[in-house]
Amino acid sequence: MSYPELKMLIAGDWVVGGAGKSEPVICPADGSEIGQVPHATTSDLDRALESSLEGFNVWRKMTPHSRQAVLEKAARLLEDRFEVNCTNLTREMGKPLAESKIEMQVAIDLLRWYAEEGKRVYGRIIPSRFPGMQHEARKVPVGPALAFVAWNFPATNVMRKVAGALAAGCSIIIKPSEETPATAVAIGTALMDAGLPAGVLNIVFGVPAQVSEHLLASTIPRKLSFTGSVPVGIHLQQLAAKNLIRCTMELGGHSPVMVFKDADIDAAAQLCTQGKFRNAGQVCISPTRFFIEESIHDQFLEAFKKHVEAVNIGNGLDAGVNMGPLVADRRLDIMEGFVSNAVSEGGELIVGGERVQSSGSFYQPTLLANVPDSAQIMTEEPFGPIAPTATFASLDEVIDRSNSLPFGLAAYAFTGSPKTAGVLKTEIESGMLAINSLHIHSVETPFGGLKNSGYGYEGGIEGLEAFLATKYSSEVYT
Ligand code: NAD
């Protein structure tokens, strides 16, 4: 089973790009080159734009039922190709195969859920104040869409955009990450094999800033959906503003976890370990600031330490591995900087704290205790396998500290008190909150942030709404 030859999907054809340029795809588990990802020229991008408009005019006129049939067929093809696609996802991104399988299954579920929900895009009749007149508001696909997505979830980051757009009746041009291209190509292949008309989906790769600048200068796209960091999100929104392209921004986070003394402490420590080291911490909703009530801090730390020490790192394709490498070497220096800064600010290193000597991009699962809020790791998104703890004395204090950053994506709390849970639901500034659990999203629930973590939603009916516009009409019928 080998890594596939990679091509771009432009106007219904799989192509290598006009200038024949490409860049290597590196396996982060051993540093080997596993493929070459082609780059689009500006004329390739122009063809993608034109075909996107043509595809839109075919796809929007099909019934939601016939669109659903195509998407359902693609979901079945992704099921048939599950093992090979999951193996390639682990090869290019590094996460353990078991996590790739969960991710791919969620991607398939997203496609099915959106495809079905596309049949329920209802409008409304508004009673008129004028006799003999009726008002109608109907939902229509917003137009050709554009998407740029990060590498950390090569299947679901792509599918959240593609399935939402297609189910709403939009066409979409997507630029997945050049670091994890095969998974996006596998999704595109399934959709084309299922009978998606040419131009409805275009997949391009290239130099990200050049691709986005060119595509967003066009008047064809009417929607931009981005998953990535806050600075790039702000930059893309500025480009989109020139043509008043509406945006959905799924950006970074720095999620607090509040553990209260009335929580089940061992269960919380175990769940925090699973949540923190999933995908080696490279998750926008990863728990990243562990605020523990003073009286239980030492007990929690001991339980947390025991679980962190049991995390088994290695090549994600090997059995028994539950944490893979970071996506690339560039992330290792960043981790080292976070740890040395935290220790210099007074934090204690409890577990890990070093890169692993190997050809892969491995960093040890790391636990730091009593880290002051002034440390870099408490203010900058870590996006890696480092868990810093700190203590708190009261509910008001932990709410203030949780809300103190510009981010507002996810938050978690462990408490046995319904009253505390109720206060957190109203006071915590984040788009998503999980209490006594780290499970914070499903395909049918709205996923999105507040503050600098972005705006707009994916998943749930809100995710479909993101690709719809409202058209109003009135009619005199007598
Ligand atoms: P990044 O913003 O640098 O890159 C994200 C993606 O955007 C990459 O594929 C990159 O190629 C592309 N990109 C970069 N500059 C671009 C440009 N000028 N034009 C078009 N595309 C461009 O972020 P990163 O550090 O690689 O990824 C991690 C970030 O993504 C974290 O901040 C994480 O929280 C965020 N993220 C958010 C969500 C969410 O749903 N909120 C999900 C996953 C990741």
Side-chain angles (χ1 to χ4, degrees), residues 226 228-236 249 251-253 381 407 452-454:
F226 174 64
S229 63
V230 176
V232 175
I234 292 170
H235 168 68
L236 292 177
M249 289 287 160
L251 309 179
E381 186 183 23
F407 300 105
N452 283 11
S453 291

Side-chain angles (χ1 to χ4, degrees), residues 148-153 157 160-161 175-180 206-213 216 226-233 235-236 239 249-253 282-285 330-331 381 383 407 409 432 447-449 453 458:
F148 305 102
V149 295
W151 41 268
N152 61 335
F153 286 92
N157 282 353
R160 284 175 186 277
K161 317 284 182 204
K175 192 202 75 57
S177 167
E178 287 69 27
E179 287 177 310
T180 56
V207 177
Q210 291 171 9
V211 174
S212 57
E213 199 166 328
L216 285 165
F226 174 64
T227 297
S229 63
V230 176
V232 175
H235 168 68
L236 292 177
L239 292 180
M249 289 287 160
E250 296 285 358
L251 309 179
Q282 302 165 114
V283 184
C284 54
I285 52 170
R330 69 184 142 81
R331 302 289 313 159
E381 186 183 23
F383 229 59
F407 300 105
L409 190 57
M432 295 168 279
F447 183 104
S453 291
E458 295 185 319

Side-chain angles (χ1 to χ4, degrees), residues 206-431:
V207 177
Q210 291 171 9
V211 174
S212 57
E213 199 166 328
H214 192 79
L215 293 176
L216 285 165
S218 163
T219 52
I220 290 174
R222 297 315 325 156
K223 168 82 194 182
L224 165 66
S225 187
F226 174 64
T227 297
S229 63
V230 176
V232 175
I234 292 170
H235 168 68
L236 292 177
Q237 173 158 337
Q238 282 165 345
L239 292 180
K242 286 186 194 148
N243 282 318
L244 285 175
I245 297 170
R246 54 184 83 188
C247 300
T248 292
M249 289 287 160
E250 296 285 358
L251 309 179
H254 205 329
S255 309
V257 184
M258 295 153 274
V259 185
F260 293 86
K261 63 179 182 230
D262 52 14
D264 180 336
I265 295 165
D266 287 336
Q270 188 173 4
L271 285 175
C272 285
T273 310
Q274 285 165 6
K276 175 67 250 181
F277 299 102
R278 178 168 80 102
N279 207 7
Q282 302 165 114
V283 184
C284 54
I285 52 170
S286 182
T288 42
R289 292 179 287 154
F290 294 84
F291 294 120
I292 318 297
E293 196 157 4
E294 271 165 1
S295 61
I296 55 148
H297 177 263
D298 291 353
Q299 187 189 345
F300 178 85
L301 188 66
E302 196 181 321
F304 204 5
K305 176 172 182 270
K306 183 183 79 188
H307 292 299
V308 176
E309 283 172 338
V311 173
N312 187 18
I313 59 174
N315 186 321
L317 292 177
D318 292 343
V321 165
N322 40 31
M323 194 184 103
L326 301 192
V327 73
D329 274 357
R330 69 184 142 81
R331 302 289 313 159
L332 298 174
D333 292 344
I334 298 171
M335 296 306 120
E336 281 183 341
F338 278 132
V339 172
S340 62
N341 171 272
V343 171
S344 73
E345 293 264 341
E348 301 159 47
L349 180 60
I350 307 293
V351 182
E354 285 181 19
R355 63 174 78 196
V356 176
Q357 294 310 320
S358 88
S359 53
S361 310
F362 293 96
Y363 196 84
Q364 293 174 335
T366 297
L367 177 59
L368 294 159
N370 295 308
V371 179
D373 288 3
S374 56
Q376 233 180 338
I377 191 137
M378 298 301 264
T379 54
E380 292 174 26
E381 186 183 23
F383 229 59
I386 305 175
T389 72
T391 58
F392 70 87
S394 70
L395 177 59
D396 285 348
E397 179 202 324
V398 78
I399 290 172
D400 283 350
R401 286 165 69 194
S402 294
N403 290 344
S404 65
L405 299 186
F407 300 105
L409 190 57
Y412 307 91
F414 291 89
T415 176
S417 159
K419 190 173 168 205
T420 302
V423 173
L424 295 175
K425 282 185 199 169
T426 56
E427 297 303 322
I428 287 293
E429 295 168 357
S430 76

